[in-house]
């Protein structure tokens, strides 16, 4: 029998949990097969300078050292339990937080956990080829770090399925390894996780925009009355911060490099900028428009009875629920949502309970705007007048009130034809993608070297120098 406590760092008393061990005996080898097939391409023999969580203590969750990724110790960690914790919202408000799954909410809770879990391997699948065209060893190491931690987040959800959901949970855990991003027959559950991530610009946009949906959804689940889910998500959030850092700084570094080249050569025109081997600012805006719009779809419909019932039953809270001062029941509250009426976008006040997806989306957009403002500072400091902007909430939406409507980035309601005629001005065209990919045809792997289209970061990982050998090819 395999000693899983040796292999799997954990704080869930795995050594004494026979049920969990038996479930893992089947799942762990299937997970490794999935990693070999769908994990980062041609990476299995590389030694990568990775951070591994070995405990939830401040000195334990970030142990750095060289690891071959198949030997990474995917652990199972929950934030330590607070025995006084209560259900903080909905009809069960004030009851002790649940340590077992309430029977009546079993299938709903399982579905939420499966939806969350499904996104984690999906993102690894989406990114699997990017190591082959990395802009530096530093960036290669960062994408691998993101990948192994998404793998660990899958483990986190699978732990809940195995530990609390019996046979159904085990079946769902297997299915998480069977769906594939973008597969026509067996796709990942949510839309954005079936979109390709074909280049590094898309990767940084994804980690800035889509990983931040992860943050907001995890924050909402970290409020759950089901305590093991709340504690699992709290710990995942510590790792999520790094993924968003990779995205935000990745875009910052591209902007910085583009602005440097524009100034040095005194060029503004996109084709002149491209000719110098850097990514022009209008292309950055188009990628932003795409990733923002597909990511805000991930929050679900503006009016959702699912969202209302998740909240009322205490399964999924609002962002920073316990810091909000209201009754935490929301029976009589209202919330503004947008919808299309004729040729206009209008605001309508609806029940705050059904509008909870919209509220979380709004919280998210506020935080995203902060990041875009920081990017604009880089452009402004270079003395260039271009500014990045978030498109209107209704632009290019497939879920919710705007699905089926044709909204411009400025928020005008257009005909399908007018919208289609402008599509390539607003979102990356095939030619734009071809150009971006033409900059990323091979790996830059000499320590301390960076591709021409991206500036080096301000500092290295874990206080290592920029020319550190973050990945050893041997
Ligand atoms: N694509 O009532 P509605 C992350 C479905 S990211 C396809 O509006 P609800 C990460 C919906 O499932 C965070 N289908 O939705 C980031 C429902 O289907 P059924 C992931 C969609 O349930 C980067 C129907 O439409 N975590 O962690 O209120 C890297 C009606 O929907 C979509 C979570 O999402 C879509 N975009 O809300 C790695 C948290 N949107 O029931 C990781 C868990 C909706 O009719 N999930 N549908 O078959 C949830 O809380 C909810 O499922 C959602 C949807 C917020 C996603």
């Amino acid at each position: 029998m395999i000693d899983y406590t040796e292999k799997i760092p954990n704080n869930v008393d795995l050594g004494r949990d026979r049920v969990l061990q038996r479930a893992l005996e089947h799942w762990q080898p299937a997970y490794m097969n999935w990693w070999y097939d769908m994990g980062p391409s041609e990476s299995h023999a590389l030694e990568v300078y990775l951070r591994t969580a070995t405990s939830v203590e401040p000195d334990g969750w970030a142990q750095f050292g060289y690891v071959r990724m198949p030997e990474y110790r995917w652990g199972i960690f929950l934030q330590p339990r607070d025995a006084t914790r209560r259900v903080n919202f909905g009809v069960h408000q004030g009851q002790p937080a649940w340590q077992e799954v309430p029977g009546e909410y079993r299938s709903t809770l399982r579905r939420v956990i499966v939806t969350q879990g499904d996104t984690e391997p999906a993102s690894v699948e989406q990114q699997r080829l990017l190591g082959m065209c990395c802009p530096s060893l530093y960036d290669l190491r960062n994408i691998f770090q993101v990948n192994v931690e998404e793998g660990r987040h899958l483990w986190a959800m699978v732990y809940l399925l195995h530990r609390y959901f019996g046979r159904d949970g085990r079946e769902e855990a297997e299915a998480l390894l069977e769906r594939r991003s973008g597969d026509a027959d067996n796709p990942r559950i949510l839309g954005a996780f079936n979109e390709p991530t074909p280049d590094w610009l898309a990767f940084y946009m994804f980690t800035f925009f889509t990983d931040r949906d992860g943050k907001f959804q995890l924050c909402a689940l970290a409020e759950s009355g089901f305590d093991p889910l709340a504690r699992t998500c709290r710990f995942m959030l510590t790792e999520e911060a790094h993924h968003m850092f990779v995205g935000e700084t990745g875009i910052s570094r591209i902007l910085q490099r583009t602005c440097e080249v524009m100034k040095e050569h005194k060029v503004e025109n996109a084709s002149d900028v491209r000719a110098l081997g850097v990514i022009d600012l209008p292309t950055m805006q188009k990628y932003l428009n795409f990733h923002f719009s597909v990511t805000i779809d991930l929050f679900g419909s503006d009016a959702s009875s699912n969202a209302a019932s998740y909240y009322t039953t205490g399964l999924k809270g609002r962002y920073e629920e316990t810091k909000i001062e209201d009754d935490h029941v929301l029976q009589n509250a209202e919330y503004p949502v947008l919808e299309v009426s004729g040729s206009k976008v209008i605001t309508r006040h609806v029940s705050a309970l059904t509008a909870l997806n919209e509220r979380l989306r709004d919280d998210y957009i506020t935080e995203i705007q902060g990041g875009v403002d920081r990017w604009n500072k880089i452009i402004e400091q270079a003395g260039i007048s271009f500014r990045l902007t978030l498109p209107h909430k209704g632009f290019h939406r497939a879920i919710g009130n705007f699905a089926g409507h044709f909204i411009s980035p400025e928020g005008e309601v257009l005909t399908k034809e007018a919208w289609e005629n402008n599509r390539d001005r607003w979102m990356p065209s095939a030619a734009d993608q071809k150009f971006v990919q033409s900059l990323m045809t091979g790996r830059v792997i000499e320590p301390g070297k960076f591709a021409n289209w991206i500036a080096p970061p301000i500092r290295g990982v874990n206080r290592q120098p920029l020319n550190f050998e973050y990945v050893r090819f041997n």
Side-chain angles (χ1 to χ4, degrees):
M1 163 138 186
I2 304 169
D3 183 357
Y4 283 101
T5 47
E6 281 284 301
K7 277 190 156 183
I8 305 170
N10 72 90
N11 67 350
V12 296
D13 218 357
L14 180 58
R16 282 200 272 174
D17 192 332
R18 304 281 302 159
V19 174
L20 192 53
Q21 286 192 20
R22 263 205 300 280
L24 282 174
E25 270 168 42
H26 294 281
W27 192 80
Q28 194 265 357
Y31 172 80
M32 289 314 300
N33 287 341
W34 169 82
W35 181 269
Y36 277 110
D37 285 352
M38 298 313 295
S41 183
E42 294 184 31
S43 69
H44 306 314
L46 308 181
E47 290 182 322
V48 189
Y49 185 67
L50 290 178
R51 156 179 105 172
T52 304
T54 56
S55 82
V56 293
E57 304 311 318
D59 64 343
W61 74 276
Q63 301 279 328
F64 284 86
Y66 284 101
V67 184
R68 285 195 184 84
M69 285 187 284
E71 288 155 25
Y72 184 80
R73 294 168 73 216
W74 282 282
I76 305 174
F77 293 108
L78 276 62
Q79 198 82 343
R81 183 172 162 198
D82 168 2
T84 64
R85 187 166 180 267
R86 312 228 145 225
V87 181
N88 294 312
F89 55 91
V91 293
H92 301 289
Q93 191 176 175
Q95 295 175 7
W98 307 306
Q99 300 308 322
E100 294 294 331
V101 179
E104 67 271 42
Y105 305 142
R106 195 182 161 86
S107 67
T108 322
L109 203 45
R110 191 184 63 219
R111 210 178 65 162
V112 172
I113 292 169
V114 166
T115 307
Q116 176 64 48
D118 190 69
T119 63
E120 316 288 1
S123 66
V124 176
E125 292 164 4
Q126 288 171 296
Q127 296 161 14
R128 70 183 297 267
L129 297 176
L130 291 177
M132 309 304 287
C133 57
C134 61
S136 72
L137 275 190
Y138 165 90
D139 291 281
L140 184 61
R141 176 263 166 220
N142 279 348
I143 195 171
F144 289 160
Q145 183 74 57
V146 169
N147 293 156
V148 290
E149 286 176 353
E150 300 301 7
R152 206 199 68 73
H153 292 179
L154 170 61
W155 276 75
M157 291 300 122
V158 165
Y159 160 71
L160 294 174
L161 292 169
H162 280 169
R163 169 70 181 74
Y164 296 97
F165 293 89
R167 177 205 279 261
D168 307 352
R170 289 195 294 278
E171 284 169 6
E172 292 285 10
E174 277 169 36
L176 286 168
L177 297 174
E178 286 159 9
R179 284 186 286 273
R180 289 285 179 274
S181 175
D183 188 302
D185 299 325
N186 197 12
R188 292 296 173 182
I189 297 169
L190 298 174
F193 293 90
N194 289 301
E195 299 284 348
T197 309
D199 55 62
W200 281 77
L201 178 53
F203 168 68
Y204 296 128
M205 290 286 179
F206 181 95
T207 39
F208 178 76
F209 285 104
T210 312
D211 277 86
R212 198 174 307 269
D213 168 49
K215 169 186 167 178
F216 277 78
Q217 297 294 347
L218 290 175
C219 283
L221 297 176
E223 303 289 347
S224 181
F226 178 49
D227 205 38
L229 174 62
R231 291 162 54 208
T232 303
C233 292
R234 280 267 167 251
F235 187 68
M236 290 162 75
L237 281 162
T238 56
E239 291 161 324
E240 202 63 51
H242 172 70
H243 306 183
M244 293 181 293
F245 162 87
V246 168
E248 179 165 343
T249 55
I251 299 296
S252 297
R253 290 161 53 210
I254 298 178
L255 290 171
Q256 164 123 22
R257 182 68 190 135
T258 297
C259 291
E260 273 167 21
V261 169
M262 287 172 71
K263 265 177 48 180
E264 190 185 328
H265 294 268
K266 300 193 173 47
V267 291
E268 293 247 325
N269 185 299
S271 57
D272 297 338
V273 173
R274 285 186 178 194
L276 294 163
V278 293
I279 304 172
D280 55 291
L281 300 176
T283 298
M284 300 292 285
Q285 177 69 56
K286 291 186 198 182
Y287 271 70
L288 181 160
N289 290 347
F290 174 77
H291 286 272
F292 176 72
S293 58
V294 297
T295 303
I296 60 176
D297 267 347
L298 290 174
F299 289 82
S301 307
D302 319 46
S304 163
S305 56
N306 284 347
S309 88
Y310 294 158
Y311 187 81
T312 302
T313 54
L315 303 183
K316 182 179 175 189
R318 287 171 292 177
Y319 180 58
E320 303 200 316
E321 181 69 42
T322 49
K323 294 189 189 157
I324 301 173
E325 288 194 19
D326 61 15
D327 66 2
H328 303 277
V329 182
L330 307 180
Q331 271 313 335
N332 303 313
E334 291 193 333
Y335 194 83
V337 298
L338 300 181
E339 63 182 36
V340 177
S341 168
S343 61
K344 284 211 188 75
V345 175
I346 58 162
T347 302
R348 201 157 64 88
H349 287 266
V350 300
S351 146
L353 274 178
T354 56
L356 282 166
N357 286 341
E358 187 65 5
R359 178 177 178 136
L360 194 61
R361 182 163 29 236
D362 287 340
D363 290 334
Y364 165 87
I365 292 174
T366 304
E367 193 171 290
I368 284 287
Q369 183 64 56
V372 174
D373 293 345
R374 288 188 289 279
W375 289 340
N376 277 331
K377 286 238 159 56
I378 297 170
I379 310 176
E380 190 183 342
Q381 275 162 10
I384 294 167
S385 60
F386 190 96
R387 293 292 175 268
L388 294 166
T389 51
L390 289 180
H392 187 271
K393 233 197 241 181
F395 172 73
H396 186 235
R397 291 290 302 283
I399 302 278
N401 288 350
F402 290 105
H405 292 283
F406 296 91
I407 313 292
S408 74
E410 288 74 35
E412 304 149 283
V413 181
L414 303 179
T415 61
K416 181 172 194 279
E417 196 192 7
W419 196 93
E420 293 289 352
N421 285 341
N422 282 290
R423 193 203 170 282
D424 286 356
R425 282 207 306 127
W426 295 333
M427 292 211 292
S429 64
D432 294 328
Q433 294 194 31
K434 200 167 155 210
F435 165 70
V436 171
Q437 285 158 30
S438 75
L439 300 177
M440 305 172 190
T441 48
R443 280 171 158 166
V444 179
I445 52 169
E446 192 183 317
K449 274 252 153 36
F450 289 81
N452 179 57
W453 50 269
I454 190 164
I458 293 167
R459 61 183 74 82
V461 178
N462 193 33
R463 287 185 234 114
Q464 299 291 359
L466 290 189
N467 63 0
F468 185 72
E469 197 176 7
Y470 288 107
V471 181
R472 289 185 186 146
F473 282 76
N474 293 338

